[in-house]
Amino acid sequence: MNEGKLLIGIILGSTRQGRLSPQVGEWVKGIADKRADAEYEIVDIREYQLPFYGEGSGDEPGPKAWQQAIDRLDGYVFIVQEYNHSITGALKNALDSAYKEWNNKAAGIISYGSAGGARAAEHLRGILGELSVADVRANPTFSLFTDFEQYKTFKPSDAQLKNMNAMLDQVVAWSGALKSLRNR
């Protein structure tokens, strides 16, 4: 990581078998890596094997590693897919498994589903507000019908690049502005 640059995490919001979020995350990272405004990394909640919030002894390595991973980031891009009109249970659990680590940071939301993941994005906005995370306005949305071949292979149109870059611009700007609050 370059000193002084913001570090933005691209958070994959699903742990399910057959999930599509890794494809979307790699596409986002490919776009983000062409920019010179921040460093970007994919953060896969599946790798942390988080117990359900409030269960376990509290000494498991997953939650501690998760909190450290979230704490070191300056901002986030969430890849959220809509399941039953909301975010996944795994993402909600991951959000609940940290608190102060999220505070005074910015987030962009990329959503997908049959209705572009709009309901999941709206639910996530409410949760982020409670965690003192400022979500940005630009919200790239993808349809399972038009942006995924046979509902399995992510193939967004080039028209999506404008909204994606607008969202990244906003996340970087807000993440930088909020950094002064975290350095108090």
Side-chain angles (χ1 to χ4, degrees), residues 159-181:
Q160 296 282 10
L161 290 174
K162 182 177 180 182
N163 199 22
M164 180 62 58
N165 277 305
M167 187 265 308
L168 292 171
D169 289 344
Q170 292 172 11
V171 168
V172 169
W174 279 81
S175 295
L178 290 169
K179 193 166 190 161
S180 65
L181 291 176

Side-chain angles (χ1 to χ4, degrees), residues 1-2 5-11 24-44 69 72-79 106-108 110 136 164-176:
M1 184 171 98
N2 293 336
K5 276 197 174 181
L6 297 171
L7 180 57
I8 308 297
I10 301 166
I11 299 180
V24 180
E26 288 296 334
W27 180 79
V28 172
K29 185 155 181 355
I31 293 167
D33 284 347
K34 293 176 184 169
R35 302 166 57 96
D37 54 3
E39 296 288 329
Y40 298 86
E41 68 179 45
I42 292 178
V43 181
D44 189 346
R72 62 188 276 280
L73 298 169
D74 295 300
Y76 315 100
V77 172
F78 287 92
I79 311 292
I110 299 167
V136 301
M164 180 62 58
N165 277 305
M167 187 265 308
L168 292 171
D169 289 344
Q170 292 172 11
V171 168
V172 169
W174 279 81
S175 295

Side-chain angles (χ1 to χ4, degrees), residues 41-171:
E41 68 179 45
I42 292 178
V43 181
D44 189 346
I45 60 177
R46 181 190 267 181
E47 293 176 6
Y48 295 88
Q49 299 178 351
L50 297 170
F52 285 116
Y53 180 71
E55 294 183 2
S57 67
D59 292 326
E60 296 85 2
K64 289 178 184 177
W66 173 248
Q67 290 166 356
Q68 290 171 351
I70 295 309
D71 193 40
R72 62 188 276 280
L73 298 169
D74 295 300
Y76 315 100
V77 172
F78 287 92
I79 311 292
V80 295
Q81 46 288 337
E82 186 171 310
Y83 293 140
N84 299 321
H85 292 217
S86 192
I87 63 173
T88 65
L91 178 57
K92 179 63 168 91
N93 187 58
L95 290 162
D96 289 344
S97 294
Y99 180 73
K100 67 179 175 34
E101 297 83 3
W102 296 112
N103 296 170
N104 298 316
K105 298 180 184 177
I109 301 170
I110 299 167
S111 59
Y112 64 89
S114 60
R119 296 166 291 215
E122 285 307 305
H123 284 179
L124 181 56
R125 287 182 197 288
I127 296 164
L128 293 176
E130 288 299 312
L131 295 171
S132 296
V133 176
D135 62 280
V136 301
R137 183 184 177 282
N139 173 198
T141 62
F142 299 99
S143 169
L144 285 174
F145 304 113
T146 59
D147 294 302
F148 293 85
E149 283 183 359
Q150 298 177 350
Y151 311 106
K152 293 180 183 179
T153 305
F154 187 54
K155 297 278 185 169
S157 69
D158 289 339
Q160 296 282 10
L161 290 174
K162 182 177 180 182
N163 199 22
M164 180 62 58
N165 277 305
M167 187 265 308
L168 292 171
D169 289 344
Q170 292 172 11
V171 168

